[in-house]
């Protein structure tokens, strides 16, 4: 009960903090038709609410235009922008200087959101909004906006760090650099493709109180290093995947950055399409109660160094941590492999469908406690449901009586595993 009250207080505080700006509707102007924009924006331009009739767009963008040369595109509350087939906006960097980059500020209010829509009200009728990989301008912002019916074709070429159909996308360069955008209080809906994407980075400055509805692919698609951005007020309904999905751009397990990462069980789920690896002593991944992870075939959670915890609450219900195989069956993903000597814990969790692979010196299992190069892997596994493993429920790697993983376990339930409950 105390936890529920604390969460409610936190959400209320967040709503108050984000509701401080002026919320009065902005009256429309006297224009009766849209103003056409067909060329790049190279001087700072402000788009105003020109038309009072909300059914008539204020501006019609007919080409895929760029905002560049240091120019800003500033969009006021209540503005409706309609895009022709194939049209869209790139907020880009040209040359090596950040001064050559443009920026976008679309700052609506709840009573008068800014709308980016297609001339045809069908998914995929325009391209989308692209933030170039080298554009890390902190002013880039979409607040109280509606982005709908985009995703008609790849936002930009894969060679430029895009190569995806998405309503809003941030590029990622070969120099391991991504652009930056804040998305807050927005509705991203009815797009053909992904709602938001960044192929290898996160690309997110701020992310809060957004609704993703009826996008044909993943709601959010990016590196797992950005999964901590999920907030308590964002929601996901009717998308190809309702939550944060790991980018598939990584040929091997994605490396977690050497900082503290917290994944929280809010309204969205998480999807691991490739898997992840902790390799730094200072890296920590904490998966909190109520979190559900959907794990693709062949994926692995590998804790070589650092600290890993997955701690739920209760015997049943939504407050447990759930690792769920994307493909129903026995042994469809590799499982959780703990080699770190730190105090790793999996408590009140359901781990289903692991054990698809036998690693060197081990057996397949839902959870493995390793022993590596003289280092004793450590793990506490209590009150977990360990089910449908392609091997054992738990495996403790042993090379000699004194060289074996350090497992503390109790209260676990086992069902449908190919091998024994606990192996070594």
């Amino acid at each position: 009960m105390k936890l529920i009250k604390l969460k409610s207080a936190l959400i209320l505080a967040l709503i108050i903090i984000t509701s401080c700006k002026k919320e009065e509707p902005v009256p429309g102007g006297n224009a009766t038709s849209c103003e056409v924009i067909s060329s790049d924006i190279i001087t700072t331009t402000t788009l105003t609410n020109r038309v009072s009739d909300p059914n008539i767009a204020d501006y019609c963008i007919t080409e895929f235009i760029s905002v560049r040369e240091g120019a800003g595109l500033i969009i006021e509350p209540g503005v409706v922008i309609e895009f022709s087939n194939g049209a869209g906006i790139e907020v880009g960097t040209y040359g090596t200087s950040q001064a050559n980059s443009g920026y976008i500020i679309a700052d609506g209010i709840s009573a008068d959101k800014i709308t980016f829509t297609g001339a045809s009200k069908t998914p995929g009728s325009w391209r989308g909004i692209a933030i170039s990989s080298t554009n890390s301008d902190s002013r880039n912002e979409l607040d109280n906006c509606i982005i709908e019916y985009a995703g008609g074709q790849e936002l930009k070429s894969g060679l430029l760090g895009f190569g995806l159909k998405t309503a809003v996308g941030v590029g990622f360069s070969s120099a391991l650099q991504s652009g930056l955008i804040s998305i807050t209080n927005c509705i991203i809906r009815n797009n053909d493709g992904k709602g938001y994407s960044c192929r290898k980075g996160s690309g997110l400055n701020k992310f809060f109180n957004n609704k993703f509805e009826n996008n044909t692919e993943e709601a959010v698609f990016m590196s797992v290093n950005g999964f901590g951005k999920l907030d308590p007020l964002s929601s996901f309904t009717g998308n190809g995947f309702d939550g944060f999905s790991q980018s598939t751009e990584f040929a091997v397990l994605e490396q977690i950055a050497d900082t503290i990462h917290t994944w929280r069980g809010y309204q969205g789920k998480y999807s691991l399409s490739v898997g992840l690896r902790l390799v730094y002593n200072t890296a920590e991944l904490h998966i909190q109660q109520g979190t559900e992870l959907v794990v693709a075939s062949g994926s692995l959670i590998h804790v070589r160094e650092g600290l890993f915890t997955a701690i739920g609450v209760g015997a049943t219900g939504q407050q447990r941590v759930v690792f769920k195989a994307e493909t129903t069956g026995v042994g469809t993903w590799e499982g959780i492999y703990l080699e770190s000597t730190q105090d790793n814990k999996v408590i009140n969790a359901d781990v289903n469908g692991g054990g698809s692979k036998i690693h060197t010196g081990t057996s397949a299992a839902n959870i493995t406690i390793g022993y590596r190069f003289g280092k004793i892997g450590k793990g506490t596994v209590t009150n977990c449901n360990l089910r449908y493993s392609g091997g054992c429920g738990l495996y403790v790697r042993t090379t000699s009586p004194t060289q074996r993983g350090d497992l503390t376990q109790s209260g676990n339930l086992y069902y449908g595993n190919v091998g024994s409950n606990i192996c070594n």
Side-chain angles (χ1 to χ4, degrees), residues 164 194 196-199 218-222 245-248:
L164 301 168
K194 307 175 195 309
Y196 169 81
S197 70
C198 184
R199 279 174 57 189
E218 301 93 330
V220 177
F221 180 84
M222 63 182 180
S245 181
Q246 181 184 25
S247 169
T248 55

Side-chain angles (χ1 to χ4, degrees), residues 56-57 82 107 116 139 227 314 362 367 385:
I56 299 175
E82 192 174 84
D107 188 12
F116 300 86
R139 291 173 291 183
F227 277 15
T362 72
I367 302 176
N385 294 320

Side-chain angles (χ1 to χ4, degrees), residues 64-133:
F64 192 76
I65 65 169
S66 292
V67 184
R68 56 187 177 90
E69 302 299 334
L73 177 59
I74 300 168
I75 308 172
E76 295 187 345
V79 169
V80 177
I81 304 175
E82 192 174 84
F83 294 83
S84 301
N85 182 38
I89 298 174
E90 178 189 20
V91 188
T93 298
Y94 289 77
T96 58
S97 172
Q98 184 67 34
N100 291 329
S101 174
Y103 62 91
I104 183 171
I105 300 175
D107 188 12
I109 59 177
S110 60
D112 255 334
K113 291 187 181 292
I114 296 166
T115 301
F116 300 86
T117 190
S120 172
K121 306 307 180 200
T122 57
S125 69
W126 62 289
R127 195 177 295 187
I129 301 170
I131 309 297
S132 293
S133 62

Side-chain angles (χ1 to χ4, degrees), residues 153-397:
Q153 60 191 90
E154 289 184 2
L155 192 53
K156 290 283 284 186
S157 164
L159 296 175
L160 298 176
F162 293 94
L164 301 168
K165 295 199 303 180
T166 182
V168 181
V170 174
F172 189 89
S173 73
S174 58
L176 305 182
Q177 181 179 11
S178 68
L180 202 61
I181 184 72
S182 290
I183 305 176
T184 54
N185 305 304
C186 288
I187 300 172
I188 299 179
R189 65 189 182 192
N190 301 328
N191 298 290
D192 186 11
K194 307 175 195 309
Y196 169 81
S197 70
C198 184
R199 279 174 57 189
K200 287 191 178 180
S202 160
L204 291 174
N205 184 8
K206 298 176 183 178
F207 184 93
F208 183 78
N209 191 31
N210 299 300
K211 294 182 180 180
F212 290 81
E213 301 171 345
N214 301 318
N215 302 291
T216 61
E217 298 179 11
E218 301 93 330
V220 177
F221 180 84
M222 63 182 180
S223 161
V224 296
N225 284 289
F227 277 15
K229 295 285 186 178
L230 182 60
D231 66 281
L233 293 184
S234 289
S235 61
F236 308 85
T237 307
N239 304 283
F241 180 80
D242 285 330
F244 281 21
S245 181
Q246 181 184 25
S247 169
T248 55
E249 296 298 316
F250 299 88
V252 295
L253 300 181
E254 183 180 351
Q255 187 170 297
I256 291 284
D258 56 342
T259 54
I260 297 174
H261 304 257
T262 303
W263 298 358
R264 302 170 177 87
Y266 296 137
Q267 297 185 57
K269 303 175 183 179
Y270 299 92
S271 170
L272 295 180
S273 57
V274 179
L276 58 90
R277 176 175 281 141
L278 279 70
V279 298
Y280 299 104
N281 280 323
T282 53
E284 298 182 16
L285 175 56
H286 302 286
I287 303 176
Q288 294 189 345
Q289 65 188 63
T291 301
E292 180 175 319
L293 286 85
V294 180
V295 190
S297 297
S299 294
L300 170 69
I301 297 174
H302 184 193
V303 185
R304 179 177 290 177
E305 301 286 353
L307 176 64
F308 174 84
T309 67
I311 302 177
V313 173
T316 59
Q318 295 181 346
Q319 294 307 303
R320 291 176 70 81
V321 175
V322 177
F323 298 86
K324 177 183 178 181
E326 182 181 59
T327 304
T328 302
V330 175
T332 65
W333 64 289
E334 294 185 27
I336 301 170
Y337 195 155
L338 304 175
E339 289 185 311
S340 162
T341 61
Q342 297 193 41
D343 192 18
N344 304 294
K345 295 179 180 179
V346 184
I347 299 173
N348 289 313
D350 300 338
V351 185
N352 305 307
S356 66
K357 181 178 180 180
I358 299 174
H359 293 270
T360 303
T362 72
S363 176
N366 270 332
I367 302 176
T368 296
I369 313 298
Y371 179 89
R372 177 175 174 269
F373 301 144
K375 294 184 177 181
I376 298 173
K378 185 176 181 180
T380 297
V381 183
T382 58
N383 301 323
C384 291
N385 294 320
L386 304 171
R387 298 177 290 197
Y388 303 113
S389 167
C392 305
L394 281 169
Y395 182 84
V396 183
R397 183 176 182 183

